[in-house]
Structures are given as C-alpha cells and as structure tokens.
Amino acid sequence: MGLTGHGQVGPRGCQPGRLPLLSPWWAATSPPSLPRSPPLPPGLTGSLNQGQAQTYGTSMSPVAPQHPGTLDQTYLDERISIPKGGGPGFSFRKLWAFTGPGFLMSIAYLDPGNVESDLQCGAVAGFKLLWVLLWATILGLLCQRLAIRLGVVTGKDLGEICYLYYPKVPRVLLWLMIEIAIIGSDMQEVIGTAIAFSLLSAGRIPLWGGVLITIVDTLFFLFLDKYGLRKLEAFFGLLITIMALTFGYEYVMVRPGQVEVLKGIFLPYCPGCGREELLQAVGIVGAIIMPHNIFLHSSLVKTRDIDRSKKEAVQEANMYFLTESCLALFISFLINLFVMAVFGEAFYHQRNEDVHNKCINSSVSRYANIFPTNNETVSVDIYQGGVILGCYFGAVALYIWAIGILAAGQSSTMTGTYAGQFVMEGFLQLRWSRFARVLFTRSFAILPTVFVAAFRDVSHLTGMNDLLNVLQSILLPFAVLPVLTFTSLRPLMQDFTNGLPGKVLMTLITGLVCAINVYFVVDFLPTLRGLGYYIPLSLLLVAYVVFITYLVGLEPWEGAAGWGTASPVASASPSTHGRWLGHSDRPRSCLPAQHSPPALI
C-alpha cells in the first residue's frame, strides 16, 4: 500500500514533522526519490547509545543525548565501551569487548527443559535424533542473528519495535503469547532447579520447598549487576562452565560409541521412527528455540556502546556479536549432545524392571521404588534420569548430574527474568523502580509454577515437560514472524535489510514449524473424549492460524511498500498520510513530514 498524501495531521499530542528516532545514521542514505526533511527535534525515544558526545536526527543536526531516568533506561543500563582502532582486520580485543550477550542468550539453550528433552530423546530414539539437535541449533542461530541485527541497527529491542509499529490489538495479543511462552519456560526452569535441590538433599527438600528457594536466590542473584555488567556476565560464564564439566563427566563415564554419535549428528534419517519419536523431535525444536529468547537477545546487544552514526561501526558490531553467538551456541550444542548421547547409549529402550533391579543393588537403592516392576520402556525426566545415572554409575554420577541441573536451572531462571522484564517494558512501556519491576515480572511468571509444585510429586512431572516443549514450538512463530518482518523493512534497516535468500529461508522454516504444530493439534484431537474438548481446541486452532496469517500479511506501517518510490500527491487526503495503523489516537507516535521515512531514521 503506497503513501497517499502529504498531510501534516498527527495523533493527539504530536506536532507535525516530529518522528520517534531510533538510529541516527540513516540521513546519508535517505530514499533518493523523497525530498530531504528539515531538521527535526528529538523524537520519543532517541538512540540508546550512552556516553557519546552527541546523537543525530534525520538531517544530522545534533540532538542532546538522553540522561539516566528517561524512557530508554533498561534494567541492564550499563554500557560497555568498545576499543577503538586496531585496523580493519579481526581483533580478539574487540571480540572480548562484545563477548557476553551471546552467552547469556545461550543459557536458554541449556535450561532444564532442554536437558530433559535431550535425555528423553536419547532414551526414546537413541542417536537417531542427534541431527535434529544440530539443525535446531543452527535454526536458533539464524533467529538470533536477526535479533542481533535489529537491536544493533535500531538501538531498540524487538518488544519496543513491536510497541511502535503494531496496532494495539495484535500488539497486546502478541505480548500475551510471549508471556505464555515465558511462563512455560519458567515452569521448566524453576521446577528443574527444585528437582536439583531434591536430588542434592536426598529427597529432604520437597518440590515446593525447592521452588521457594529458587525464587529467593534468583532475586538475590539478579542484583549482581549492581557490581558491574561484566561481573554478571562472568557469573553466567561460570555456570556454563559448570554445566560443561558436569555433563561432560557423565559423557566420559558412559563412553558412547563415537562413530554412532557422528552418524547420528550428520546423517539426517530416523529408521523405524513413529509418532513418539516425531513428538520428541518437535520437542527439541521447542526446547532449543524459545520465543522469548529472541526478544532477550535483541535487548542484550544494547549493552555495548556502538556509534550508530557510523555504518562501519554497526557492521563491525553485527559481525562480532554473530561470531560470539556462534561460539556460545557451539558450546551449548556440545553440552546438549553430551546429555542426549549419554542416555542414547546407556538407557535406549531400557525396561522399568531392569532399572528397578539395578537400583536395588546400588548405593542409591532408596530410589528403586520410583520404577515399577514391569516390562514397559522406562520413561525418564531430569529427576529419574539422575537416579538412573546413580544406579548404574554410582552416587557420584547422581550428585554431579544434580549440580549440572542446578547450574542450568539457576542461570536460565535469571535470564528468563531478564527476558520477562524486557518484554513487559517493551510492549507495555513500563518504567517502574528496579525492585518493583523485578518483583512484578517475577511474580507474573512464577505463580503457575508454585501451583504446580504444590500439587504434583517430584517423580511425576515427565508429561508436563513434553507439553511445555511443544507449547514453545507452537508459540515460536509469534517471535520469528515479527523479527523477520522488521529486519526485512528497508526503511527501518536500510543497508542491513534481509536479502531475498534470507527472507525465503526464514519464511520456509517458519512455515514448516507452523505446519508441524497444526499437524500435532489435528493429530491430538482424536485422542480426546467428549465434544466439550473438540469445540474449544478447534476454535483455538482456527484462531492460531488466523493470527499467524494476519501477522504475515500485516504491514507495520501504512505505506511501507511505497517508501522511496511514491511521488508526493498534494491533493490527497491529509488524514491518510503515513498513519500508524490503528494508532490515530496514540500520542507516542507522530506523522512523517514530506514523505520522510517514518520513525526509523
């Protein structure tokens, strides 16, 4: 839909010609067919660069930098400076300065939900689904790359961009979908940490007690950034190291066949696989690629002091952030591989009776009764998985496993809290005190977890993890579609817009994920008994497909397709010129003057 007019009428509370500023260097690359706008006053939010002498508006006129306490302050408000100079080549010194956000992002690839998905895949399918783990990690890297580019180029995170660009109703619905994803992830993370406390205390700490401990120590650890952002990032690095050492120890103890592991990684086949294996494969995708993690990463990259007035500095930041993310996700892939290979080697198609008999004669015989004496294939979760390791390889293996789960749960709970704050602040523009934000966003996501812990036993949580992983997969399009849409908008990204191959690839991948999700819902419906289940689930499926179709077809800004090509038409209706879709009454957005690219200059 092209631009249709020249009007100067803006939403209430806005003056003609005022635009929210995101990244200041676009003035040099304004669309050639559009007349240059006059110097504009600062917009709503401005660049997030801190410590720069000045930022620039659309005509490169200086704009006073923002001060602490303005709307742009985020929870991680410290800015890490980047070393200057060093020539055009690769610099390890600069890579070190950019290192941090990618490893915090990779925590979501290592949370207890991932670990449980890994061990269940190993126990159900052996090494047959290792290639799914590899390609899910690569797909995750592609999604994180889009998040990096959006945050670096615009200086805004994905939640803030959604707030500025989407109409109110779809924006609220999108926020609710991401909050559901955060709640589901939190349930896995907090309960995983509580299970670790139960294993380490030999069952003396009940599940609900572990949940309460996790809530308290998470709030405590979240204030570590008061001592500096780099110290906080180092703490997360320590937790990742603990996971690598503990799960690596289990890998060395079990000694899976290396040739079979390599074949499972690089040969994409699954002979004899059925519905159960397919469910596990979808669970891997849902566990690896979490919707809220895309929002988190787009915000974390803002912690580096990038001079967005220089295109070369933006290119450099994109390159170093991507390099760091590749390294972080490679480490996370190895840790997930350790877990899946251990259970694929030692516990593939093990029977409950065999495990029960083994546990009775082990040093952890008190756990033997959690496995029934029948010939069914053993069903494992992170609790039973630790017990099985203890039964077969000694109590040391059980406690080392529990330490690894504790590190995974604690780190992912903290990053999940950050994600919840960034999402809520971005979509709702909440600007509360530090303590109020932490308390509110943590409570919003933690209450369902407390409810589950109060009414479920620690040894009966296997089915819940499968459901939550599939839920993440179902909600994934609600993060991928917005970030793909915005990084494909040339007026927003200019020279950093997605190329055609990237758009096609991500669209096909998103379509595949959506098709698999619809298949599982349709396949699940016949298992329900009673018309009372069919009707609401069918309505939810229709609403899901309609909303995704709407997001695919939605133009974030009326006339986006016409930027740079439409010629001014003075006689057109002034009320339709470049309006925010559905935002005619929103004082936070303003209309562009003389066809200048809106808001994103």
Side-chain angles (χ1 to χ4, degrees):
M1 190 184 304
L3 292 175
T4 57
H6 237 357
Q8 298 295 313
V9 179
R12 292 195 301 270
C14 289
Q15 299 173 3
R18 290 190 60 146
L19 307 176
L21 302 177
L22 292 190
S23 52
W25 61 273
W26 303 130
T29 57
S30 296
S33 63
L34 304 180
R36 174 86 62 167
S37 299
L40 300 177
L44 176 72
T45 47
S47 171
L48 287 181
N49 289 333
Q50 302 289 328
Q52 292 185 13
Q54 61 187 23
T55 57
Y56 290 90
T58 53
S59 59
M60 301 302 288
S61 57
V63 173
Q66 292 197 316
H67 301 286
T70 62
L71 293 181
D72 275 334
Q73 286 297 106
T74 62
Y75 189 65
L76 298 175
D77 53 11
E78 182 182 350
R79 295 292 178 268
I80 306 300
S81 60
I82 306 301
K84 305 298 181 183
F90 187 87
S91 168
F92 283 99
R93 187 164 170 244
K94 286 187 177 180
L95 177 62
W96 177 250
F98 281 103
T99 296
F103 281 91
L104 266 68
M105 169 274 297
S106 72
I107 293 291
Y109 291 69
L110 298 168
D111 72 350
N114 274 288
V115 174
E116 186 160 328
S117 177
D118 294 337
L119 65 88
Q120 287 176 344
C121 280
V124 169
F127 302 140
K128 298 176 185 178
L129 296 178
L130 288 176
W131 62 274
V132 178
L133 175 65
L134 172 65
W135 285 103
T137 305
I138 293 173
L139 173 58
L141 178 62
L142 294 176
C143 295
Q144 304 304 153
R145 173 180 172 270
L146 297 182
I148 290 170
R149 290 167 72 88
L150 184 70
V152 169
V153 172
T154 67
K156 294 285 182 188
D157 61 47
L158 182 54
E160 292 170 310
I161 297 291
C162 289
Y163 175 79
L164 289 171
Y165 270 77
Y166 278 145
K168 184 175 182 178
V169 173
R171 188 179 76 247
V172 172
L173 289 175
L174 202 59
W175 169 66
L176 290 175
M177 295 300 102
I178 302 304
E179 285 294 344
I180 291 172
I182 292 174
I183 291 172
S185 176
D186 254 351
M187 291 179 71
Q188 292 176 305
E189 294 159 359
V190 175
I191 289 178
T193 310
I195 288 173
F197 282 123
S198 178
L199 289 173
L200 288 171
S201 65
R204 295 181 181 88
I205 299 178
L207 187 63
W208 60 267
V211 168
L212 294 179
I213 294 173
T214 303
I215 295 171
V216 172
D217 65 20
T218 297
L219 293 174
F220 171 77
F221 284 127
L222 280 171
F223 287 92
L224 282 176
D225 67 344
K226 290 181 63 177
Y227 301 98
L229 181 58
R230 296 300 269 176
K231 291 184 176 64
L232 178 69
E233 292 172 346
F235 178 70
F236 280 104
L238 173 64
L239 294 176
I240 294 174
T241 303
I242 291 173
M243 284 184 267
L245 293 175
T246 52
F247 297 139
Y249 170 84
E250 309 289 359
Y251 186 85
V252 172
M253 286 287 295
V254 175
R255 298 178 184 176
Q258 301 305 306
V259 174
E260 294 302 314
V261 169
L262 292 174
K263 288 166 74 174
I265 294 173
F266 296 109
L267 295 181
Y269 76 108
C270 190
C273 290
R275 183 181 181 277
E276 188 176 9
E277 287 79 8
L278 185 57
L279 176 65
Q280 294 298 331
V282 175
I284 291 177
V285 176
I288 289 288
I289 312 168
M290 294 192 174
H292 66 274
N293 207 35
I294 297 174
F295 287 82
L296 172 68
H297 202 189
S298 67
S299 190
L300 290 174
V301 296
K302 299 190 302 184
T303 58
R304 267 47 183 182
D305 194 1
I306 302 165
D307 184 1
R308 293 185 178 87
S309 65
K310 297 178 181 178
K311 180 178 177 179
E312 295 77 13
V314 176
Q315 288 177 322
E316 179 184 75
N318 281 327
M319 185 268 292
Y320 281 112
F321 275 132
L322 181 60
T323 302
E324 182 228 4
S325 296
C326 289
L327 178 61
L329 291 188
F330 175 71
I331 294 174
S332 74
F333 170 74
L334 288 181
I335 295 174
N336 283 310
L337 174 66
F338 290 159
V339 177
M340 193 179 294
V342 163
F343 283 83
E345 173 70 24
F347 310 114
Y348 177 45
H349 282 175
Q350 285 273 14
R351 297 182 309 157
N352 280 320
E353 186 176 7
D354 295 334
V355 176
H356 178 86
N357 293 335
K358 186 74 175 179
C359 286
I360 286 180
N361 299 315
S362 71
S363 58
V364 291
S365 57
R366 61 183 176 276
Y367 294 107
N369 290 331
I370 68 174
F371 301 102
T373 55
N374 57 42
N375 290 326
E376 294 181 8
T377 302
V378 65
S379 177
V380 292
D381 53 28
I382 54 176
Y383 177 76
Q384 294 168 337
V387 171
I388 291 176
L389 287 171
C391 294
Y392 279 78
F393 302 102
V396 173
L398 184 152
Y399 290 118
I400 289 178
W401 170 264
I403 292 171
I405 296 298
L406 179 62
Q410 193 64 72
S411 58
S412 58
T413 303
M414 292 169 64
T415 55
T417 303
Y418 283 129
Q421 290 178 76
F422 295 147
V423 165
M424 196 168 285
E425 289 172 3
F427 276 99
L428 305 183
Q429 293 295 289
L430 294 181
R431 291 297 181 264
W432 296 350
S433 69
R434 177 191 183 90
F435 179 77
R437 279 180 289 167
V438 174
L439 186 63
F440 179 73
T441 55
R442 188 85 299 237
S443 301
F444 192 83
I446 210 71
L447 289 178
T449 308
V450 175
F451 181 81
V452 170
F455 294 97
R456 294 295 297 270
D457 183 70
V458 71
S459 60
H460 296 91
L461 296 170
T462 304
M464 187 188 73
N465 184 72
D466 293 338
L467 177 63
L468 292 175
N469 281 338
V470 173
L471 177 67
Q472 298 292 331
S473 178
I474 290 173
L475 298 175
L476 180 59
F478 298 119
V480 175
L481 285 175
V483 76
L484 178 59
T485 297
F486 293 126
T487 53
S488 299
L489 278 179
R490 185 162 185 80
L492 173 59
M493 302 296 290
Q494 290 287 338
D495 292 347
F496 297 95
T497 307
N498 292 329
L500 181 60
K503 293 179 188 177
V504 172
L505 177 62
M506 291 303 298
T507 302
L508 290 175
I509 291 172
T510 306
L512 177 63
V513 172
C514 293
I516 292 174
N517 293 336
V518 172
Y519 163 79
F520 266 106
V521 173
V522 173
D523 183 65
F524 178 68
L525 284 176
T527 64
L528 300 176
R529 298 178 179 178
L531 190 62
Y533 292 105
Y534 277 84
I535 294 176
L537 283 178
S538 299
L539 292 175
L540 285 175
L541 176 60
V542 171
Y544 176 80
V545 174
V546 168
F547 190 33
I548 287 178
T549 305
Y550 176 80
L551 289 177
V552 170
L554 178 65
E555 286 283 353
W557 172 281
E558 183 176 328
W563 292 337
T565 59
S567 58
V569 182
S571 61
S573 169
S575 64
T576 58
H577 173 71
R579 294 176 64 184
W580 296 90
L581 287 181
H583 297 168
S584 59
D585 61 342
R586 288 163 64 185
R588 60 180 172 78
S589 59
C590 307
L591 297 181
Q594 300 179 357
H595 290 289
S596 56
L600 307 170
I601 304 174

